[in-house]
């Protein structure tokens, strides 16, 4: 019943007294004095007049705005309950494994407050031995890539994992029952657990087939081994055992198979000391000048079409057989020379070839056989599992997809739409597939065309294992909670196969059944597992040693190989194109990584772009601009072959034969993220698929000049040493005669009696001042130019250790890159002092000619240059505010918050290693790289200040690491042991070219290096007395040695 | 008798100079002379002692030098000695060559400004001060001699005025004190 | 007596039959008269330029030094070029009034006032650049010998930049007081001519209540003399120290012991050129032909020949020394100047600074206003290029070819430079309208000696 209950206000209402009834009419109980107030005559002249009102107004406005001016408070929230393993300010290290389908590396991950900030090589790993590669170093930034998708996505919209799983399983069952096939397209899988997961998956869905695809194929090599040894494998190499190395179109130091390992081995046999006065000789036969080629003692530049013939000739001249081969016009003699030298190196020689032509590889195998390389420098029993791709299968898969017989396609760890030569075809075929699933971490070219994306973890978020080669296993544990709602592909596969086990348990299970048994088994599995996780690697002695060195399979008929080689050579016509991959981007899978984009190419020193490399003379003939510079725009050309064509700027490249151009892969991404999209052009379209193999050297390309001009962003625009003593260099024979060869003391005439002898003294002796002594420590660094291969791992390592900002293409064009450490690359020039002397060429003309690098027989040197920490530092003297001074440990230190930015120090630096913050590079939308995004900032090293706008910065010799090391040893009350403190560049270097330590410690490596006869200081004549010094480069030129 | 100031107005500095000599020879004390520009040779005649501003300047300079020496020593050698480009700063004298420019500049700075300040003080000139030249033309083209009768008790005011007139004063004004 | 005898052989320095009063009249005319249209136009233009410069400067502070064309190799370019150029120009004034006073050069008197004014304005423009070129202008005061907030981090007396701080500030303030002490009596003259009480008040404040008594005059003369004595070494020291910014460095092309004298000569050279540029206009606009005579111009032209030749010799000496040193870096640095990518700046410097002034050997050109004006402009341009050549071509290719690069100015670089020119002329025009542009009390002292009527007429 509806209530009629009435609540009376008071006794008056109840009694309905007349006053109440009267008052009830009014809104207010009492009369309000409104009229009185408004009617007040002298309201006008009340104390609050208009002026006062304005005063109040003004005051309140000011007060309000002042209140608004208050600076925002940034709170640092401490752990509510701290995880026991994390101590704020102390780094934790975890072992993990980097494998992205192109670079394998067992790594040690440095985490701070639960976030990975640095990736370095794992020293326990027998393959990398602690070395690393630019791409591996940079992988930590890819973890914090904002282009990664936050969870499963369907048609551009996020969905839950439950929904995704439900749908996927339905679809899979459907296509399975409908008799349509299920296909898995994956990059080479080296993880035992994923392999077995595929197995389980195939069990659940019987008509599943796995197709493996490498963006850069090694199939020909595997097939050649199949033909020769009956097993389709990629062998492993021991460059350290080789005294004579012939590399044929094979960038084994930077981009081929296992570069970190090769670089280490290579350098190992090229280090010189009082004890070891011998080094290997390295000959490189190639078209485009590669990192490896620039390190060669002798380099022979040939057209791609000639390389096959060169190998056949080499084989003929070494073995004395007479297989059919074409002449290499003027280069035949050189090949003969090499053959002679090779023969002298039986058992200690190694020939490696990067060609993907099976016939060529057969000859190479035969040649290595003859030279007794197998079981000496090549090991075919310990096989490399990182390249299992089969492009033929991929191509047939496309056919299959087009036929519509593929019910479901799962794409794992690869991006065929981008990296396949027929990417567009693949995309088209993809639409004919019933249902397509991608594990990609971003909506890339392929994934965006798939039905659904179920993003995989970044490897630093995942439990991983791998078996990169026979008897070698690695484990990886997560170093951070998954940043996004991603799920490890392993778990996804198992889930869809009906197995809900999580990755850790599954991997443990697999290992218990596979790896553990093959160990001694002395320890319990739990113990073994714990140790393996800690070390990150397990090595098992290789058991089966089937001797095959002299078992050259009779089946293979080299004659026909040779025939087909010369046939292919004959077919070559017109301009030839070399498709190669760069040290920075490789196959482009990490293209959205700003560090890698801004890493100068070791050889061309160009950042942020790919380009058409062309012979210098040819460019001059065509009237192209050969000079790099802010205002010197490069001409662009349109390169086309078949249907595919790209328009790119032309870059003059010494050491590239006429009639050959080269374009690198990895650029021209369209769906990788804001950093990579639209940078350069994709050259994958030029790759030719010919009788079962991808061919990376193609001919018959048309190059037509296009209208546009383009300004290339290079960090080095001047390429020769101008006859200066910058990189000191000698030959092995000279070095053997006199260890100081090429490094003779420079003495200066002086009239001071007390120093030097007979009126001559060295730059160091000619010193105005009594010097400071570094009583406690004296940190010095030595760089062995004979070991440095210029790969650039140190540069990325430095960037990530020291929060070096990325500045972008346009700032690099203005030569404002911020890298604290650079690797200078100098080409040899045809002009030099002696020549000018002999031909009586005048100074002006001489220097003009010196600026031009030699076009054909070019020699290359690399020189890492960072702050030289001069003990008589010109920069320190000139700073008006003492922002840069010398520490008591001999370090030239920069005080950022004292700097007022006069740039006088940078001007007065003879090495030009100081970098100025022209703009604010962090939190600035103009520089939308990792330092702009909250996510990207997570990679910053909390031990290093992020520099503000308008201050100078430079290499600090990783002073934060020195302090940490000193504290560590102080805790156990001892002096830091030599080698216990490593700078970032030193740690990354795969060849150990960099040595750092305490000069005051008599036994330290750096002190030994100081006493080395090859030691010299850069520009010592300036009298800066640097703490960084170099060891001369030695080239092994003469035939008789090595 | 009443105290008066007599102003002899001249049109030429040389005429004034000679007239001043005559007056002095008669023992007349000339209180002051106002002119549009300095009259050379006048000071001894009317008995103005040479100024000592230059000596002051010297001492100001001396102060500047010693201050600079102290400052450089205190700031770079004593308070926080640092290794700056390996330059020896164990003793002030080691590092002295680098300090010469600053020392020199400070010397000049103190000497110049010290002297000018004292100049303004002793001249009692400063912004907003009331000028006390008796006749506006004295900054243009007239030269004015000021004689106070009080200072020349025995010499009669008439004789002074007559002498002025004789020696070429173009006009003579009197003013009660 | 000695004076008169010299006068008979010399050109009179004051033309027309002038009385003391006439001088006061002539000099005060521009101050008391109304500004003509030409003046207003010129003033507006220069004020606008000044504003434009201020705008560019504000943009630089707001965004970062990156808006200039500098890079990792060339850390200084237009900024310091302009600084040295302006400081150089700022040398003539003090030199004229100080050194010529010591040498008793009477012809200085008609020009020293405006020359000093020019000095002060030029130094203001110059001083802007060392401040502006700092990455963090807002902490510019850290170059003063103050402790940091923790108390014991001072400044670096080893740094030539710090020497600059002391040199420039001393030079500026001392020139200013020198200039002003001279102005005081002249302000008094103007003051006593004013009928309007407001003008009188203003000029009384400016004149510090000067009365021109005998005592004041004797002190005045003493002070002028001592200040001149102090300014003479000062003016020499300033550009010496500026040159040390480069001379004490290790960069080939900078590391040159010849710099101090060479810079000082260059400074006087450019200073006189700028004085000529200004005076030739001023005497016309303000109608001071009788005071700033052809013989004044000719005298200055003689100084220009002298200093121009010194500079020329310095250039050649540099080349010789670099060759003789046998240091490859030095040799290349100078070869690169003449034949490298910046050859054009080197050769425009050579033509403007070495060749054109030699024309003054001809009396005709020396006495021609037009020729003098044009050549003075040439010298100004040439001296700017000299500094550009020294700074940029030395930096852009120094020791390690890997870092070699080029410098390309942005419109901000240019804007700021134009802006300082605007500021300079704005200040000078204000000066010309409100200050006695010629030291009239000084001038009156030499009227008899060097005017066309040796004796004052009695009336």
């Amino acid at each position: 019943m509806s209530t009629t209950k009435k609540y009376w206000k008071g006794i008056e209402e109840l009694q309905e007294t007349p006053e109440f009834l009267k008052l009830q009419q009014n809104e207010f109980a009492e009369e309000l004095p409104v009229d009185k107030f408004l009617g007040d005559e002298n309201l006008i002249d009340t104390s609050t007049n208009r002026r006062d009102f304005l005063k109040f107004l003004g005051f309140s406005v000011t007060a309000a705005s002042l209140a608004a001016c208050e600076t925002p408070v940034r709170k640092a929230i401490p752990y509510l309950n701290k995880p026991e393993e994390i101590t704020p300010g102390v780094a934790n290290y975890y072992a993990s494994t980097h494998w992205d389908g192109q670079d394998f590396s067992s790594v040690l991950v440095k985490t701070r407050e639960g976030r990975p900030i640095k990736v370095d090589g794992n020293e326990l790993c027998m393959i990398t031995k602690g070395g690393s590669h630019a791409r591996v170093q940079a992988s930590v930034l890819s973890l914090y890539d904002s282009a990664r998708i936050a969870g499963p996505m369907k048609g551009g919209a996020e969905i839950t994992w439950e929904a995704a799983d439900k749908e996927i399983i339905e679809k899979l069952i459907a296509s399975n029952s409908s008799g349509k096939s299920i296909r898995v397209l994956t990059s080479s899988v080296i993880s035992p657990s994923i392999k077995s997961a595929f197995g389980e998956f195939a069990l659940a869905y019987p008509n599943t087939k796995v197709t493996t695809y490498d963006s850069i194929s090694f199939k020909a090599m595997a097939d050649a081994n199949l033909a020769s040894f009956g097993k389709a494998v990629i062998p492993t190499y021991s460059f350290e055992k080789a005294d004579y190395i012939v590399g044929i179109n094979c960038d084994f130091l930077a981009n081929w198979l296992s570069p970190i390992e090769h670089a280490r081995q290579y350098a190992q046999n090229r280090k010189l000391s009082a004890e070891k006065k011998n080094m290997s000789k390295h000959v490189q036969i190639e078209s485009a000048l590669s990192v490896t080629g620039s390190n060669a003692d002798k380099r022979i530049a040939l057209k791609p079409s000639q390389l096959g013939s060169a190998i056949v000739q080499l084989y003929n001249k070494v073995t004395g057989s007479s297989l059919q081969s074409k002449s290499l016009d003027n280069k035949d003699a050189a090949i003969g020379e090499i053959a002679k030298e090779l023969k002298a190196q039986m058992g200690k020689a190694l020939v490696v070839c990067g060609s993907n032509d099976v016939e060529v590889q057969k000859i190479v195998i035969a040649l290595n056989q003859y030279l007794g390389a197998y079981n000496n420098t090549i090991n075919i029993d310990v096989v490399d599992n990182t390249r299992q791709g089969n492009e033929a299968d991929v191509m047939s898969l496309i056919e299959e997809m087009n036929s519509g017989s593929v019910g479901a396609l799962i794409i794992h760890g690869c991006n065929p739409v981008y990296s396949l030569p027929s990417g567009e075809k693949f995309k088209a075929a993809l639409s004919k597939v019933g249902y397509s699933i991608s594990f990609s971490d971003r909506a890339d070219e392929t994934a965006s065309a798939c039905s659904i994306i179920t993003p995989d973890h970044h490897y630093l978020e995942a439990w991983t294992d791998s078996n990169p080669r026979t008897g070698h296993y690695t484990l990886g544990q997560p170093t951070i909670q998954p940043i996004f709602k991603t799920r490890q592909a392993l778990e996804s596969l198992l889930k869809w196969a009906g197995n809900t086990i999580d990755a850790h348990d599954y991997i443990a299970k697999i290992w218990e059944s596979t790896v553990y048994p093959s160990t001694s088994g002395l320890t319990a599995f739990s113990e073994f597992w714990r140790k393996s996780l800690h070390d990150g690697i397990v090595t098992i002695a290789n058991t089966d040693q089937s001797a095959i060195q002299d078992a050259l399979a009779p089946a293979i008929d080299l004659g026909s190989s040779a025939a087909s080689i010369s046939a292919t050579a004959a077919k070559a016509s017109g301009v030839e194109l070399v498709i190669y991959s760069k040290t920075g981007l490789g196959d482009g899978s990490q293209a959205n990584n700003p560090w890698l984009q801004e890493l100068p190419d070791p050889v061309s020193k160009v950042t942020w772009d790919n380009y058409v490399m062309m012979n210098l003379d040819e460019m001059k003939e065509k009237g192209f601009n050969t000079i790099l510079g802010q205002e010197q725009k490069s001409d662009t050309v349109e390169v086309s072959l078949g249907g595919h064509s790209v328009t790119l700027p032309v870059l003059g490249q010494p050491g590239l034969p006429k009639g050959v151009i080269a374009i690198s892969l990895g650029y021209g991404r369209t769906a990788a993220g804001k950093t990579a999209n639209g940078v350069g052009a994709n050259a994958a379209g030029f790759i030719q698929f010919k009788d079962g193999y991808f061919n990376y050297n193609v001919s018959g390309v048309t190059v037509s000049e296009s209208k546009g001009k383009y300004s290339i962003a290079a960090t080095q625009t001047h390429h020769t040493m101008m006859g200066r003593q910058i990189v000191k260099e000698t030959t092995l024979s000279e070095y053997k005669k006199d260890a100081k060869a090429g490094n003779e003391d420079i003495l200066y005439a002086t009239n001071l009696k007390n120093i030097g002898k007979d009126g001559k003294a060295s730059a160091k002796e000619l010193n105005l001042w009594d010097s400071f002594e570094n009583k406690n420590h004296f940190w010095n660094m030595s760089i062995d130019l004979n070991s440095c291969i210029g790969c650039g791992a140190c540069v990325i390592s430095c960037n990530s250790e020291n929060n070096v900002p990325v500045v972008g293409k346009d700032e690099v064009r203005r030569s404002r890159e911020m890298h604290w450490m650079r690797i200078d690359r100098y080409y040899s020039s045809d002009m030099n002092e002696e020549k000018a002397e002999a031909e009586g060429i005048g100074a002006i003309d001489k220097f003009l000619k010196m600026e031009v690098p030699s076009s054909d027989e070019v020699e290359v040197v690399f020189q890492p240059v960072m702050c030289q920490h001069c003990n008589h530092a010109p920069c320190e003297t000139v700073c008006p505010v003492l922002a840069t001074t010398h520490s008591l440990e001999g370090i030239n230190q920069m005080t950022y918050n004292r700097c007022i930015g006069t740039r006088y120090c940078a001007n007065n630096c003879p090495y030009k290693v100081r970098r100025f913050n022209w703009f604010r590079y962090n939190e600035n939308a103009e520089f939308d790289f990792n330092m702009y995004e909250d996510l990207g900032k997570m990679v910053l090293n909390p031990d290093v200040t992020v520099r503000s706008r308008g201050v100078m910065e430079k290499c600090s010799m990783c002073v934060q690491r020195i302090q940490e090391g000193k504290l560590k040893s102080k805790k156990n009350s001892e002096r830091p042991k030599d080698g216990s403190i490593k700078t970032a560049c030193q740690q990354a270097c795969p060849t150990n070219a960099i040595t750092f330590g305490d000069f005051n410690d008599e036994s330290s490596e750096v002190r030994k290096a100081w006493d080395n006869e090859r030691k010299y200081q850069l520009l010592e004549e300036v009298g800066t007395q640097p703490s960084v010094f170099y060891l001369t480069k030695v080239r092994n030129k003469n035939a008789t040695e090595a | 008798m009443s105290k008066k100031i007599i102003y002899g107005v001249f049109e030429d500095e040389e005429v004034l100079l000679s007239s001043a000599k005559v007056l002095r020879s008669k023992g007349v004390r000339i209180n002051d002379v106002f002119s549009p520009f300095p009259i050379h040779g006048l000071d001894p005649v009317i008995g103005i002692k040479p100024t000592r501003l230059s000596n002051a300047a010297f001492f100001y300079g001396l102060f500047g030098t010693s201050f600079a020496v102290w400052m450089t020593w205190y700031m770079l050698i004593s308070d926080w000695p640092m290794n700056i480009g390996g330059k020896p700063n164990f003793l002030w004298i080691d590092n002295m060559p680098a300090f010469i420019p600053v020392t020199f500049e400070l010397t000049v700075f103190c000497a110049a400004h010290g002297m000018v300040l004292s100049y303004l003080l002793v001249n009692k000139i400063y912004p907003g001060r009331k000028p006390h030249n008796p006749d506006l033309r004295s900054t243009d083209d007239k030269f004015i001699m000021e004689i106070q009768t009080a200072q020349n008790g025995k010499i009669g005011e008439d004789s002074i005025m007559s002498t002025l007139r004789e020696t070429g004063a173009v006009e003579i004004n009197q003013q009660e004190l | 007596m000695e004076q008169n005898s010299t006068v008979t052989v010399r050109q009179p320095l004051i033309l027309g039959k002038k009385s003391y009063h006439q001088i006061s009249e002539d000099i005060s005319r521009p101050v008391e008269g109304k500004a003509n249209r030409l003046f207003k136009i010129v003033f507006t233009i220069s004020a606008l330029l000044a504003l434009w410069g201020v705008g560019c400067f504000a943009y630089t502070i707001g965004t970062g030094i990156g808006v200039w064309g500098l890079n990792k190799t060339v850390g200084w370019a237009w900024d310091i070029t302009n600084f040295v150029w302006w400081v150089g120009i700022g040398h003539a004034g003090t030199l004229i009034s100080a050194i010529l006073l010591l040498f008793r050069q009477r012809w200085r008197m008609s020009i020293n006032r405006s020359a000093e004014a020019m000095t002060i304005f030029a130094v203001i423009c110059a001083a802007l650049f060392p401040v502006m070129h700092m990455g963090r202008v807002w902490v510019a005061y850290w170059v003063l010998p103050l402790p940091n907030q923790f108390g014991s981090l001072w400044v670096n007396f080893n740094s030539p930049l710090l020497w600059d701080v002391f040199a420039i500030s001393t030079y500026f303030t001392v020139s200013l007081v020198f200039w002003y002490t001279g102005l005081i009596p002249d302000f008094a003259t103007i003051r006593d001519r004013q009928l309007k009480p407001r003008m009188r008040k203003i000029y009384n404040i400016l004149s510090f209540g000067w009365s021109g008594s005998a005592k004041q005059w004797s002190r005045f003369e003493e002070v002028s003399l001592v200040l001149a004595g102090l300014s003479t070494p000062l003016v020499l020291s300033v550009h010496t120290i500026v040159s040390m910014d480069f001379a004490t460095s290790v960069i080939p092309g900078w590391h040159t012991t010849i710099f101090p004298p060479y810079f000082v000569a260059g400074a006087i050279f450019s200073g006189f050129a700028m004085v000529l540029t200004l005076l030739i206009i001023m005497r016309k606009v303000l109608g001071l032909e009788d005071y700033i005579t052809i013989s004044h111009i000719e005298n200055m032209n003689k100084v220009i020949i002298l200093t121009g030749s010194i500079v020329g010799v310095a250039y050649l000496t540099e080349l010789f020394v670099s060759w003789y040193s046998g240091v490859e870096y030095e040799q290349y640095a100078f070869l690169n100047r003449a034949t490298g990518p910046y050859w054009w700046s080197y050769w425009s410097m050579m033509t403007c600074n070495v060749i054109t002034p030699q024309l003054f050997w001809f009396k005709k050109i020396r006495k021609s206003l037009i020729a003098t004006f044009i050549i003075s402009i040439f010298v100004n341009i040439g001296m700017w290029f000299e500094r550009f050549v020294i700074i940029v071509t030395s930096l852009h290719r120094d020791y390690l070819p890997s870092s070699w690069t080029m410098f390309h100015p942005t419109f901000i670089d240019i804007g700021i430079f134009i802006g300082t020119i605007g500021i300079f002329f704005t200040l000078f025009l204000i000066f010309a309208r409100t200050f006695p542009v010629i030291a009239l009390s000084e001038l009156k002292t030499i009227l008899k000696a060097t005017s066309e009527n040796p004796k004052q007429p009695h009336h």
Side-chain angles (χ1 to χ4, degrees), chain C residues 5-245:
Chain C
S5 63
T6 56
V7 170
T8 51
V9 297
R10 288 232 180 124
Q11 291 281 346
L13 292 168
I14 305 168
L15 305 177
K17 306 210 178 307
K18 302 287 184 199
S19 69
Y20 292 138
H21 181 65
Q22 190 54 44
I23 293 178
S24 315
E25 285 293 329
D26 295 344
I27 310 296
S28 315
R29 200 181 304 109
V31 180
E32 292 156 358
K34 283 238 165 297
N36 58 2
R37 248 174 100 259
L38 180 67
F39 178 91
K40 286 183 182 137
I41 294 164
V42 178
F43 185 83
T44 329
I45 293 170
S46 38
L48 287 174
L49 290 181
L51 279 177
W52 172 246
V54 172
C56 291
F57 181 28
Y59 179 57
T60 311
I61 295 178
T63 321
I65 299 294
V67 300
W68 297 356
L70 304 170
N71 55 47
K72 70 179 180 201
T73 312
V74 183
W76 286 347
W78 278 47
D79 46 2
I80 301 303
T81 303
N82 299 339
F83 163 64
V84 181
W85 188 67
W86 277 120
V87 174
I89 288 171
H91 270 57
T94 317
L95 182 107
I96 290 168
S97 34
I99 297 183
L100 297 192
L101 184 146
L102 295 185
F103 287 124
R104 294 269 183 267
Q105 291 295 315
R106 293 230 214 64
W107 60 273
R108 80 176 190 280
M109 291 182 180
S110 325
I111 57 168
N112 62 353
R113 175 65 45 77
S114 43
E116 281 177 57
M118 186 202 74
T119 293
I120 283 151
F121 304 145
V123 174
I124 290 173
C125 291
L128 286 173
F129 283 99
V131 177
M132 253 192 270
H133 93 298
M134 289 184 189
R136 300 202 295 166
V137 184
W138 47 95
V139 293
Y141 67 92
W142 286 357
V143 299
L144 305 176
L146 308 164
N148 68 330
Q149 65 268 50
F150 304 112
S152 50
L153 180 57
W154 300 91
V155 289
N156 182 5
F157 291 108
N158 296 300
S159 165
L161 269 189
L162 199 76
W163 305 345
D164 277 346
V165 173
F166 281 81
I168 301 294
S169 47
T170 308
Y171 182 59
F172 177 66
T173 51
V174 171
S175 318
L176 193 63
V177 293
F178 192 13
W179 185 54
Y180 203 84
T181 28
L183 269 166
I184 286 175
D186 296 357
F187 277 135
T189 311
I190 296 180
R191 171 194 71 205
D192 292 346
R193 297 165 47 84
Q194 300 311 318
L195 306 172
K196 291 199 231 65
R198 211 165 120 275
M199 292 294 280
R200 209 181 141 64
K201 202 155 185 250
I202 294 167
Y203 279 100
N204 182 39
I205 290 168
L206 288 173
S207 68
F208 283 22
W210 173 270
S211 56
S213 70
K215 269 205 179 57
Q216 288 186 338
W217 277 122
S218 75
R219 296 191 185 111
F220 175 87
E221 291 213 293
E222 180 88 353
V223 165
S224 316
L225 199 64
V226 177
L227 275 182
L230 286 169
S231 308
T232 309
L234 180 62
V235 72
L236 298 180
S237 81
V238 173
H239 229 53
T240 304
I241 287 174
V242 169
S243 78
M244 285 173 180
D245 286 344

Side-chain angles (χ1 to χ4, degrees), chain A residues 880-885 895 897-899, chain B residues 74-76 79-82 84, chain C residues 142 144-156:
Chain A
V881 294
L882 292 172
T884 182
T885 52
T895 318
N897 53 359
R898 176 67 170 176
C899 179
Chain B
Y74 175 72
M75 290 181 184
L76 276 196
D79 192 27
W80 189 351
M82 272 185 273
I84 301 158
Chain C
W142 286 357
L144 305 176
L146 308 164
N148 68 330
Q149 65 268 50
F150 304 112
S152 50
L153 180 57
W154 300 91
V155 289
N156 182 5

Side-chain angles (χ1 to χ4, degrees), chain A residues 141 593-599 608 675 799 803-809 811-812 816-819 921-922 927-931:
Chain A
L141 183 55
N593 187 317
W595 287 348
L596 288 176
Q597 286 282 6
E598 196 150 303
L599 174 71
W608 282 103
T675 309
N799 290 359
N803 304 338
V804 174
V806 172
V807 296
K809 193 190 288 182
E811 287 298 286
V812 176
R816 290 178 182 174
E817 74 276 2
M818 295 298 285
H819 294 166
Y921 292 120
N922 57 316
F927 299 93
D928 185 3
F929 307 110
N930 63 305
M931 280 203 196

Side-chain angles (χ1 to χ4, degrees), chain A residues 441-493:
Chain A
D441 67 340
R442 68 196 64 223
D444 60 24
E445 293 79 352
T446 312
S448 52
C450 290
S451 321
I452 191 166
I453 313 173
T454 56
D456 190 0
H457 282 339
H458 185 272
Y459 80 95
L460 292 172
E461 301 168 320
W463 288 98
T464 56
D465 66 342
S466 81
N467 174 22
R469 67 181 49 175
T470 319
H472 192 107
Y473 294 86
T474 75
L475 267 184
Q477 51 184 321
T479 57
I480 184 173
Q481 280 290 326
I483 295 172
F484 301 110
K485 295 201 299 306
T486 54
R487 186 173 70 190
Q488 202 169 339
L490 178 62
E491 285 179 8
S492 303
L493 281 165

